[in-house]
Amino acid sequence: MYTPKDTYELRTAVELFSSPTVTTYNGVRTKTYAVSGETIFVNWKSRGGTESTVNGVVSILDTAIVTTWYRSDITSGSRLKLADGRIYEIVSEPENIEERNIFLQFKVQRAKGGV
């Protein structure tokens, strides 16, 4: 059985906010998350972010790759909160490694602005 190297060090504690409440007001959809989430342990690799060029302007997006134990409630709309208060949103569909329901890997991006 294949075991990714990233799963040997699941040491970073994060809060998982997995099921947002979606409300629509005047055609604008708003996601509302719970006040506190469930603590899970993950392997967090930021690697300095990702460069993005839009209309000739270069910006650095605060991104990371996360590996954790498999959970069916982790979806692309979920959020993670680090101990220092930074909030990240899952931007890619979580990959169920080898379809074994043991480990998940996904990419997150920092959620800035109105939280």
Side-chain angles (χ1 to χ4, degrees):
M1 175 174 84
Y2 169 71
T3 303
K5 278 189 347 184
D6 299 339
T7 59
Y8 297 141
E9 297 181 6
L10 300 175
R11 297 181 184 170
T12 306
V14 297
E15 273 187 271
L16 171 66
F17 299 93
S18 61
S19 56
T21 304
V22 179
T23 57
T24 304
Y25 182 73
N26 288 339
V28 178
R29 294 182 51 179
T30 305
K31 292 181 184 179
T32 306
Y33 293 86
V35 176
S36 64
E38 183 179 352
T39 301
I40 62 172
F41 289 90
V42 301
N43 182 338
W44 190 276
K45 291 187 178 181
S46 63
R47 295 192 174 105
T50 305
E51 284 188 16
S52 173
T53 304
V54 178
N55 294 332
V57 178
V58 177
S59 61
I60 305 286
L61 301 174
D62 193 2
T63 60
I65 296 174
V66 179
T67 306
T68 189
W69 292 103
Y70 177 83
R71 291 177 55 129
S72 61
D73 59 341
I74 296 177
T75 62
S76 61
S78 301
R79 285 190 171 183
L80 301 175
K81 181 179 179 183
L82 292 173
D84 62 2
R86 291 181 291 164
I87 297 175
Y88 289 79
E89 188 164 352
I90 298 175
V91 294
S92 67
E93 191 66 32
E95 178 188 355
N96 183 0
I97 298 174
E98 287 195 349
E99 300 297 324
R100 290 179 173 254
N101 296 344
I102 300 174
F103 300 111
L104 283 178
Q105 190 169 40
F106 48 88
K107 191 169 189 176
V108 296
Q109 181 176 341
R110 187 163 182 192
K112 294 184 180 178
V115 176

